[in-house]
Amino acid sequence: MKEAQEAAAVNLKRHLLLRVSLFALAIGVAATAVVLQQAVERIGIHIQRTGGTVERLIAGEADRTRDAFRRSLDGMTLTSLDGIGPLLGICVAVDDIYKRPVIRRCFHEGGEAPAVVRWMLAGLIGPELHYRGMIGQYPGVKVGEFVVTPDLDSESLAVWKQIQTVLGMTLGILLLNLLIYRPVRRALRPADQILAVLGRMEAGELTARMPRPRLIELRRIAAGFDHLAEQLQKTLAAQRHLALHLLAVREEERRRLARELHDEFGQCLASIGAEAAFIRGRAEVQAPELLPAARAVAAVTAHMMESLQGILLQLRPVGLEEFGLKAALGELVGGWQRRQPDCRFELTLRGEIDALPDALRTGLYRIVQESLTNALRHGKPQQVVVGLECDVTGCRLWVDDDGEGRNEPSAGSGLGVLGMHERVEALGGRFALQPRHPRGMRVEADFPAEAVRAVEMNHE
């Protein structure tokens, strides 16, 4: 689809240059054809009109040079045509009464047209165009014949002069095309700068602005596009601020639930466990038949307490607020290492990680938490690598595993791929989930320095 759209796109500069050039060439070819056609018609009419004149001049020359008793045309030079012959553009061939050639003469005074012009003119005229007449002497005796044909050298030279005029007009149109093309190209030159700005905005740099071309139409388009970009930037900023607020509200709600579960549900389970221990002690002495039930109650209570601890870990990261992100990530990875001894874990931390804004630290922890949950519960990896580095250019997080390929990680802690993607975008970063070769997945989250500063300002 994209290739078809690119094929259908029009390059205005090239389109303009090609169209006008083809128009100029078409005019040149058409005008040349008209010149040749008019020349053929003119020559045909001219030969028929000049034939009689040539016949009278030749007859007069034959009468002057021969008496009534000599019927030969030897010595004829057609001097009677010397003055008018070059103007008529003809060739004259004279034969005697025995069909023997007497003289062949063309009245061409010089100059030569290109061979191709002569060839085209000869092809259009053909051998049929001529005027045949008789040479006689008084009293009406035939002494020879003559044939008048067009002088192709003279006629082609005249046609070539007309074609030169046509070519001059064609070249003038092409020159005009060049004169038009240059200002158009200069006016459209900012198109490359506009495309560069579009590329920057596509990469996420919404602060990029269009240049102001000299062409008023492009200037208006650039101004309108900048206005839309500003509105989009404001809208995205508002959405990001709202998303950060929702993330903060969600984290606060999780902390509240964690406190409620720990204070209320945890104390209830502790009380039930104590009561079950008391009942088990009394049952061992007074009612042995109640001992299995007491042990079952204690086992269920212990299992519920363990499940509660797991839920509390999901709702409220251990040590994140008290000891920082490094300690929290170390505890998180260490907990998975204890639960999955067959998998090798590697944690790499670089830079001032604990100096990041609270919202960003919480987001990074949640992304690592969800990535580990997806990888270990569904991919069965042998190795998991967690990396986080922060410097002046920003903050980068990656989680690599060599587990089985999977199309879409499951929710796990409740985030899922969509949740991680939304969290990263809310924090102003870029999220990517890519397969590794030969197996495994990589989760990437990149937060540029501008995003880190924006999160910090929103947090303040």
Side-chain angles (χ1 to χ4, degrees):
M1 183 65 179
K2 185 176 180 180
E3 289 78 5
Q5 292 177 351
E6 291 181 354
V10 176
N11 187 319
L12 179 59
K13 296 181 291 185
R14 187 182 304 170
H15 191 71
L16 177 64
L17 183 63
L18 180 62
R19 283 296 183 90
V20 177
S21 299
L22 290 177
F23 176 73
L25 293 177
I27 288 181
V29 171
T32 301
V34 170
V35 168
L36 290 172
Q37 183 63 30
Q38 290 178 348
V40 171
E41 294 176 358
R42 176 181 56 78
I43 292 171
I45 296 173
H46 180 67
I47 290 297
Q48 298 302 323
R49 289 179 176 177
T50 58
T53 303
V54 173
E55 183 175 7
R56 289 190 295 272
L57 292 174
I58 293 178
E61 184 177 344
D63 288 338
R64 288 195 304 271
T65 58
R66 300 289 180 266
D67 55 34
F69 300 99
R70 296 185 60 187
R71 303 292 184 239
S72 173
L73 296 176
D74 295 339
M76 178 176 285
T77 60
L78 299 179
T79 54
S80 59
L81 299 177
D82 287 343
I84 195 174
L87 300 176
L88 298 178
I90 57 175
C91 291
V92 178
V94 177
D95 297 334
D96 61 14
I97 57 176
Y98 304 106
K99 304 296 182 181
R100 292 178 300 185
V102 176
I103 187 173
R104 301 285 189 272
R105 185 175 176 184
C106 292
F107 298 89
H108 180 59
E109 292 186 339
E112 186 176 358
V116 64
V117 177
R118 190 181 192 282
W119 174 78
M120 287 191 298
L121 189 61
L124 293 173
I125 292 176
E128 295 81 9
L129 183 60
H130 62 275
Y131 181 90
R132 184 178 296 276
M134 182 187 70
I135 303 175
Q137 289 181 343
Y138 181 82
V141 178
K142 178 181 178 181
V143 296
E145 294 181 347
F146 71 93
V147 177
V148 179
T149 58
D151 184 0
L152 290 179
D153 291 330
S154 177
E155 295 294 348
S156 62
L157 182 60
V159 170
W160 171 239
K161 291 180 180 179
Q162 292 180 313
I163 292 177
Q164 284 180 317
T165 303
V166 171
L167 292 178
M169 294 173 57
T170 303
L171 291 177
I173 296 176
L174 292 176
L175 180 60
L176 178 62
N177 182 27
L178 181 61
L179 295 177
I180 295 175
Y181 172 76
R182 293 191 64 181
V184 170
R185 184 183 63 177
R186 189 181 302 110
L188 295 179
R189 188 173 298 167
D192 296 333
Q193 301 175 1
I194 293 175
L195 291 176
V197 172
L198 290 176
R200 291 166 56 191
M201 297 192 69
E202 185 178 2
E205 188 180 346
L206 297 182
T207 57
R209 291 295 178 264
M210 290 290 178
R212 290 297 182 265
R214 298 179 59 186
L215 190 63
I216 187 170
E217 291 80 5
L218 290 180
R219 181 180 290 270
R220 291 174 179 174
I221 293 174
F225 191 89
D226 285 348
H227 177 70
L228 292 177
E230 290 176 1
Q231 295 300 319
L232 177 61
Q233 190 176 6
K234 293 178 181 178
T235 302
L236 292 178
Q239 291 180 349
R240 184 173 295 120
H241 181 74
L242 177 60
L244 287 174
H245 178 69
L246 293 177
L247 289 176
V249 170
R250 184 165 64 180
E251 292 298 331
E252 181 61 32
E253 183 64 18
R254 286 180 173 181
R255 284 192 290 268
R256 188 187 67 80
L257 288 175
R259 287 193 300 267
E260 293 292 334
L261 289 174
H262 180 271
D263 295 341
E264 300 294 334
F265 195 56
Q267 290 182 6
C268 291
L269 288 178
S271 177
I272 293 173
E275 294 294 338
F278 174 76
I279 294 173
R280 184 177 58 183
R282 296 295 296 270
E284 290 177 351
V285 177
Q286 299 178 4
E289 67 276 9
L290 297 178
L291 187 59
R295 289 175 178 173
V297 172
V300 171
T301 303
H303 177 70
M304 292 179 66
M305 185 65 74
E306 183 179 354
S307 299
L308 178 61
Q309 293 297 327
I311 294 174
L312 292 176
L313 288 176
Q314 294 291 334
L315 291 175
R316 187 175 184 182
V318 177
L320 180 58
E321 296 180 357
E322 294 81 1
F323 306 106
L325 182 58
K326 286 185 178 181
L329 290 178
E331 179 63 25
L332 177 63
V333 173
W336 277 109
Q337 182 69 79
R338 290 188 295 271
R339 293 191 296 272
Q340 302 284 342
D342 296 334
C343 180
R344 187 167 65 89
F345 289 82
E346 180 179 341
L347 177 62
T348 303
L349 303 175
R350 301 190 186 93
E352 298 296 330
I353 296 173
D354 289 332
L356 295 173
D358 292 340
L360 185 56
R361 284 188 292 141
T362 303
L364 291 171
Y365 181 89
R366 293 298 187 190
I367 295 171
V368 175
Q369 184 182 48
E370 173 65 17
S371 300
L372 292 177
T373 301
N374 290 327
L376 294 162
R377 289 186 178 177
H378 308 285
K380 299 178 182 179
Q382 300 298 317
Q383 182 180 13
V384 177
V385 178
V386 179
L388 176 60
E389 61 179 17
C390 298
D391 52 29
V392 294
T393 62
C395 184
R396 288 162 296 280
L397 169 68
W398 67 92
V399 180
D400 295 338
D401 69 83
D402 58 356
E404 298 176 358
R406 52 198 183 279
N407 295 329
E408 184 176 341
S410 62
S413 63
L415 289 175
V417 175
L418 180 60
M420 288 191 290
H421 192 277
E422 291 177 349
R423 185 182 287 272
V424 172
E425 284 195 345
L427 295 170
R430 292 184 292 271
F431 177 80
L433 180 65
Q434 300 174 344
R436 301 179 64 218
H437 297 286
R439 51 182 291 174
M441 300 290 289
R442 161 170 276 214
V443 177
E444 286 185 315
D446 185 13
F447 301 92
E450 295 81 6
V452 176
R453 288 193 294 268
V455 173
E456 188 173 5
M457 291 176 61
N458 287 327
H459 181 70
E460 293 176 354

